[in-house]
Amino acid sequence: SACKRLAALDTYNRDNLFNIGFCAIVCWLNWHRRNGVMQPRRFPAEYLNHAVAEYSALIDMWRALLPTAEKKEGIAFVRLLINRCQTSILHIRALMKLDELDTVYDYNNPVPLTADQAEKIDTILKEAKALTTQYMHLYGEVLPDRGGEGQLVSYAVTTPVFIDAVASNFNDSIAVFHTDTYDAPPMPDAEVR
């Protein structure tokens, strides 16, 4: 069933990727700093692609259920599930976009950027940020309760800020992210650190 498939995907994401619902900027900023530089996390592309494919399949499954829903509450719930699968895809694609920085910039051998590199990096960062903006707009279309509102606010002050932190490697105007550590609770999966 779709619910079992969603539960399996949730476990897969936590085990192989990241917890999409865990929005604590201090953890993102601590976890992604390597060699004093804020970097994309670089999850294996096959894991990211698998998650996107599963969310896409789930969207199709939920859409197939919509015509059979008889009550407005059922329709609202199915639309919520479709929305959250769509936003999860946008989030994953934003992080995949950040991974494209590796095709332009060598974090292990930082050298001054050429004009072409700077332009490509700027494009990648803008596209990643645009995906998070799309996420927030789409997520905001279905807010059944205050918990959803809180999650949206948490996302707004986490993933776009993380992208700004990655951009700070290439843009001195965001130098606030160049500190060694941030006060934060431990990450939910301490063994991954």
Side-chain angles (χ1 to χ4, degrees):
S1 80
C3 288
K4 287 182 181 177
R5 191 169 183 172
L6 180 61
L9 179 56
D10 185 55
T11 299
Y12 177 88
N13 288 342
R14 277 194 321 276
D15 290 349
N16 298 294
L17 297 173
F18 38 78
N19 185 346
I20 292 173
F22 186 69
C23 293
I25 189 61
V26 289
C27 289
W28 279 82
L29 296 181
N30 285 336
W31 196 26
H32 296 276
R33 180 176 299 284
R34 286 186 260 329
N35 302 323
V37 177
M38 195 67 63
Q39 300 182 33
R41 183 71 178 122
R42 296 181 193 91
F43 292 95
E46 62 268 20
Y47 295 171
L48 295 163
N49 289 324
H50 173 77
V52 168
E54 283 296 295
Y55 281 120
S56 296
L58 283 163
I59 290 167
D60 292 340
M61 292 173 82
W62 300 128
R63 283 188 176 141
L65 289 175
L66 269 176
T68 66
E70 297 177 7
K71 298 192 182 255
K72 66 178 183 178
E73 294 85 358
I75 293 169
F77 182 65
V78 172
R79 286 186 175 151
L80 171 69
L81 292 170
I82 292 168
N83 177 279
R84 295 313 188 253
C85 288
Q86 291 170 324
T87 55
S88 295
I89 289 170
L90 288 169
H91 177 72
I92 292 167
R93 287 190 173 145
L95 297 180
M96 291 172 81
K97 181 57 68 175
L98 284 181
D99 286 345
E100 291 179 21
L101 291 171
D102 288 338
T103 66
V104 181
Y105 185 75
D106 183 359
Y107 284 93
N108 295 319
N109 185 27
V111 295
L113 299 176
T114 65
D116 183 53
Q117 284 177 306
E119 183 179 334
K120 287 178 182 174
I121 287 169
D122 185 58
T123 298
I124 290 168
L125 293 168
K126 284 179 180 173
E127 289 175 2
K129 196 84 172 259
L131 287 163
T132 64
T133 299
Q134 289 175 33
Y135 172 107
M136 291 182 286
H137 285 276
L138 183 60
Y139 193 102
E141 290 178 7
V142 183
L143 293 174
D145 56 28
R146 289 181 55 199
E149 292 172 5
Q151 181 64 26
L152 181 56
V153 170
S154 292
Y155 188 89
V157 297
T158 302
T159 308
V161 174
F162 171 66
I163 292 170
D164 287 343
V166 171
S168 72
N169 297 313
F170 313 106
N171 181 342
D172 292 335
S173 66
I174 315 176
V176 67
F177 296 107
H178 290 285
T179 60
D180 291 332
T181 60
Y182 298 86
D183 185 27
M187 295 214 12
D189 300 312
E191 68 276 4
V192 177
R193 288 186 279 163

